[in-house]
Amino acid sequence: MSAVVDSERKGHKRKLADTFTYSSAVAGHTGGEKDAVPAQVRRLLGIIKACTQKSPDNVDRVVLRRAAHSLAELSKSEENVDFVVAEGGINHIVPLLSFFPAPHLDSKDRSSEDVEKESCFILGLLAIKPEHQHSIADTGALAGLVGILKRHTDNIGCPMPGASVVRRAADAITNLAHENVPIKSRVRAEGGIPPLVMLLEAYDAKVQRAAAGALRTLAFKNEENKNLIVECGALSTLIQMLRAEDMGIHYEAVGVIGNLVHSSLHIKRRVLEEGALQPVIGLLSSSCNESQREAALLLGQFATTEPDYKARIVQRGAVPPLITMLGAADSQLKEMAAFALGRLAQNKDNQAGVVQAGGLQPLLELLQSKLGTLQHNAAFALYGLADNEDNIAEIIRQGGVSLLQEADLIVQASKDCVQKTIKRLEDKIQGNVLKQILYAMHSSQATDKAMQQRVAVALAWLGKEADLRLCFVDRKGLDVLLELLTDQRRDAASHKEAAAALFELAKKIPATAAIDCAPTEPPSHVYLGEKYVNNQTLSDVTFLVEGQEFYAHRIALLASSDIFRAMFDGHYKEKEASIIPVPNISFLVFEKMMRAIYTSSTEVTDDVAEDLLRAADQYMLDGLKHLCEETISKQLNNENLAEIYDLAENFNAPQLGRRCALYALEHFVVRYLCSIMDDVRAVGA
């Protein structure tokens, strides 16, 4: 509301005849020097007080008018407002609203109208400061202002001499009621709403704007006022004002309607029934940014009235101008357009229509905004668009996944919304949607490398584990990522994106491998327990390791692996042997291996992990092997990486091999590319 007041101040113009130069009778001196502001205020209020102590017929109206005008000029500066109030200005000005009887059209009465106009203007200026609003109202200003409005509601269809008085009275009510709930209710109690509604049809466009501005303020978050405005028949006139060529008129009208429908479903329905939808959509193409913004906000509210209204709004042509608004320089315009599109995108058909009309890319770009509310409205709209399977391939083709992941979001709600959008995309990448995406990656090979790479990156992050082979082996998605990583023509950011995608893909590989990475444990009843490890009790086989005997039990060994089953249940000589020599394994390693067989676990220390891995591979003990892989992987560093990778390859340890690959990606490729990016930024700075 302050913006409206400021523009009113800046746009204030007066006829030359009304311009006042201090005379000795008013200013108290003849020189060019000006007194201090407090002295001027006291002098002018003294003149006004002296005039009001006389009867209206005996007052020098010209002097009174000039004094009121001079005080209004001083009150235009907020620094002077407190001086005027402190000197009793409110008590002296409020009586002027009703000091003169109802004016007629002679020159004397026009002077009295000017006094009323200046009085309304002064009170409106004083009311800009919230701390003075109640003092003005308590002094009786509302009754005087409403009285002025009522006196001018006759013959509103033709030019009225008192139009400027009415406009100033409506402006004063606007400023008094701004963000002041009690005063809004007091205006209603004084009977101020009916004349304001009538003045919407005034001949003078400025009066229409002023009346609409006052109603707009009175309707904001005040249900009783909203209902009364509607009952007084304002809707039909306001809707007609939406079609006005005067930007000021349709801006105020759409603002009134916006405040009327806010949180009031029954009024929203009435507004739509009265035919507001099409003229509001028309305002999206207005040359007035404020009207465009209010219209977009209003359409977002209309979209929640009934489910079918979302489709109606789109059918009547709202989407193209809303998308155009997304590219506007005005951030508030973009914010409201994104808000409206977000509401409309809760309809399946609209979701596809917005993307088809070109709304996806500008919404994605708005995630990079530095304004939290703008980011959030864009994120909410994108969440809606991601609900339609027909949009998923296009979101991915346009690089939506990377933009969503990289967005530097300010508000936590926006972060949550983006995460939900990414999860929604991930859930929908299957079946026909996956086929569309793979077709895009395959068919764009010859024409659009960038699109192909965007698709491959997105699939690395969001592809389901069961589909990775199809996407990256059968359809050559891995080749696409590797090409992106090694292409010297691409910038460091692209290389980093490819490396990150490969890193993510590598982390998913274990879950799709032929061998389960989690240790597979035998049924619990075959574990003989700790006390039977190397225990002669019930022992039926002895191993000879490094010259030492190790007592064991065939039943436990048979259940542990295929190697022991073949050894004791097949045609090998060990089946009947009571002592079996074990070459190439130390007693410590053998003892730990047997402890794992008997108890399902064993301590795998760094010093024996590699030898124990070799033994686990030799005897096909997958559970023990994975314990060894876990221990060895924690020892990875730049110096032993190649050696450990060879170990994993030679002894069939896929989990350990993948850990080596992940380590290489993380510590060499990604960090190297990050350092390149830092260098690029440093050069740019």
Side-chain angles (χ1 to χ4, degrees), residues 381-580:
L382 290 166
Y383 177 70
L385 299 183
D387 190 39
N388 192 312
E389 292 184 354
D390 290 335
N391 291 340
I392 306 303
E394 188 61 26
I395 292 173
I396 289 175
R397 280 196 295 264
Q398 294 196 26
V401 174
S402 295
L403 291 172
L404 287 166
Q405 291 174 325
E406 295 169 2
D408 184 14
L409 301 170
I410 299 169
V411 182
Q412 183 59 44
S414 303
K415 298 177 183 178
D416 295 340
C417 188
V418 164
Q419 289 305 311
K420 290 178 181 178
T421 303
I422 293 173
K423 183 62 170 64
R424 178 172 276 183
L425 291 170
E426 183 177 3
D427 291 342
K428 291 183 180 295
I429 297 179
Q430 57 182 319
N432 288 332
V433 173
L434 179 59
K435 291 179 181 178
Q436 293 175 24
I437 296 170
L438 290 175
Y439 179 80
M441 183 171 68
H442 180 69
S443 63
S444 63
Q445 187 169 12
T447 58
D448 193 343
K449 285 285 186 183
M451 181 197 294
Q452 184 186 36
Q453 290 161 352
R454 289 194 294 267
V455 172
V457 168
L459 288 174
W461 287 99
L462 303 184
K464 291 180 171 54
E465 294 166 354
D467 298 323
L468 293 183
R469 176 174 291 278
L470 170 65
C471 298
F472 292 95
V473 178
D474 299 345
R475 295 300 184 91
K476 309 298 183 182
L478 185 58
D479 294 343
V480 174
L481 291 178
L482 291 172
E483 181 181 358
L484 177 60
L485 180 66
T486 58
D487 189 348
Q488 297 301 314
R489 295 168 298 178
R490 304 303 298 269
D491 58 19
S494 298
H495 293 161
K496 182 179 178 182
E497 183 180 45
L502 285 166
F503 184 60
E504 180 66 21
L505 185 60
K507 289 193 294 185
K508 292 181 177 180
I509 290 174
T512 61
I515 300 175
D516 190 355
C517 293
T520 302
E521 298 179 354
S524 60
H525 67 267
V526 304
Y527 296 131
L528 296 186
E530 177 74 25
K531 74 175 185 177
Y532 287 100
V533 177
N534 199 14
N535 191 325
Q536 279 186 292
T537 303
L538 301 177
S539 173
D540 55 2
V541 64
T542 301
F543 292 95
L544 189 62
V545 185
E546 290 188 331
Q548 301 181 59
E549 293 183 341
F550 193 100
Y551 302 102
H553 307 79
R554 294 174 186 265
I555 184 64
L557 300 177
L558 280 167
S560 66
S561 79
D562 290 341
I563 294 296
F564 283 117
R565 278 192 289 275
M567 184 183 295
F568 297 122
D569 201 24
H571 302 288
Y572 295 96
K573 62 181 181 180
E574 288 87 355
K575 181 177 182 180
E576 305 297 335
S578 58
I579 297 178
I580 303 173

Side-chain angles (χ1 to χ4, degrees), residues 7-77:
S7 64
E8 180 61 41
R9 281 177 149 187
K10 293 177 181 177
H12 179 72
K13 296 180 181 179
R14 296 183 179 279
K15 294 179 181 178
L16 183 61
D18 288 339
T19 303
F20 174 67
T21 302
Y22 293 111
S23 67
S24 58
V26 177
H29 63 85
T30 58
E33 299 178 0
K34 293 184 179 179
D35 294 342
V37 171
Q40 293 182 39
V41 170
R42 284 192 292 271
R43 187 177 301 111
L44 294 170
L45 289 176
I47 294 171
I48 293 171
K49 180 179 179 181
C51 289
T52 55
Q53 289 175 345
K54 301 176 183 178
S55 67
D57 292 335
N58 296 326
V59 170
D60 187 336
R61 301 188 184 200
V62 173
V63 170
L64 180 57
R65 173 175 63 82
R66 289 178 175 176
H69 172 66
S70 298
L71 190 62
E73 292 295 315
L74 286 172
S75 299
K76 287 182 180 180
S77 170

Side-chain angles (χ1 to χ4, degrees), residues 34-328:
K34 293 184 179 179
D35 294 342
V37 171
Q40 293 182 39
V41 170
R42 284 192 292 271
R43 187 177 301 111
L44 294 170
L45 289 176
I47 294 171
I48 293 171
K49 180 179 179 181
C51 289
T52 55
Q53 289 175 345
K54 301 176 183 178
S55 67
D57 292 335
N58 296 326
V59 170
D60 187 336
R61 301 188 184 200
V62 173
V63 170
L64 180 57
R65 173 175 63 82
R66 289 178 175 176
H69 172 66
S70 298
L71 190 62
E73 292 295 315
L74 286 172
S75 299
K76 287 182 180 180
S77 170
E78 290 190 22
E79 297 176 355
N80 298 338
V81 166
D82 290 334
F83 291 131
V84 175
V85 174
E87 294 296 334
I90 294 174
N91 292 327
H92 293 318
I93 298 302
V94 169
L96 294 179
L97 298 176
S98 53
F99 181 69
F100 296 105
H104 299 287
L105 298 182
D106 55 58
S107 59
K108 180 186 289 187
D109 285 331
R110 289 190 178 183
S111 294
S112 66
E113 274 187 5
D114 288 341
V115 171
E116 291 177 351
K117 177 181 68 176
E118 299 293 354
S119 302
C120 293
F121 190 33
I122 293 169
L123 292 174
L125 293 171
L126 300 183
I128 291 174
K129 290 197 170 184
E131 60 266 30
H132 302 320
Q133 291 171 345
H134 283 289
S135 297
I136 296 170
D138 292 342
T139 311
L142 293 179
L145 293 168
V146 172
I148 291 173
L149 298 179
K150 290 180 177 178
R151 291 202 306 268
H152 293 83
T153 52
D154 295 332
N155 302 317
I156 58 175
C158 57
M160 60 174 72
S164 60
V165 182
V166 177
R167 179 165 59 92
R168 292 300 185 195
D171 289 342
I173 290 174
T174 299
N175 288 356
L176 280 168
H178 178 58
E179 295 185 356
N180 194 315
V181 176
I183 290 182
K184 290 178 185 179
S185 299
R186 289 174 68 176
V187 172
R188 182 182 69 252
E190 290 286 351
I193 289 178
L196 284 170
V197 172
M198 294 178 67
L199 289 168
L200 292 176
E201 300 186 53
Y203 180 85
D204 190 299
K206 293 181 180 179
V207 173
Q208 293 180 36
R209 291 200 300 267
L215 291 172
R216 180 179 188 169
T217 299
L218 295 172
F220 185 64
K221 295 183 179 179
N222 190 303
E223 289 300 315
E224 293 84 356
N225 284 0
K226 290 197 285 189
N227 290 329
L228 182 56
I229 291 170
V230 174
E231 290 169 8
C232 289
L235 292 184
S236 60
T237 305
L238 288 168
I239 291 170
Q240 293 304 317
M241 292 169 69
L242 295 176
R243 303 179 186 274
E245 294 184 5
D246 187 318
M247 291 188 297
I249 291 178
H250 59 61
Y251 164 66
E252 293 292 355
V254 73
V256 179
I257 294 174
N259 286 350
L260 287 173
V261 305
H262 180 70
S263 301
S264 298
L265 183 59
H266 66 290
I267 295 180
K268 199 183 300 184
R269 288 180 175 140
R270 283 279 302 273
V271 169
L272 290 167
E273 290 168 1
E274 294 272 357
L277 182 55
Q278 199 59 49
V280 170
I281 292 174
L283 287 180
L284 296 176
S285 302
S286 168
S287 57
C288 174
N289 285 359
E290 291 80 3
S291 293
Q292 287 182 289
R293 185 180 67 238
E294 294 292 337
L297 174 61
L298 193 51
L299 287 176
Q301 294 173 319
F302 285 164
T304 63
T305 309
E306 303 289 350
D308 63 330
Y309 267 104
K310 295 181 179 68
R312 290 189 196 179
I313 292 169
V314 173
Q315 290 166 358
R316 288 171 175 256
V319 168
L322 285 171
I323 292 174
T324 300
M325 289 165 61
L326 293 176

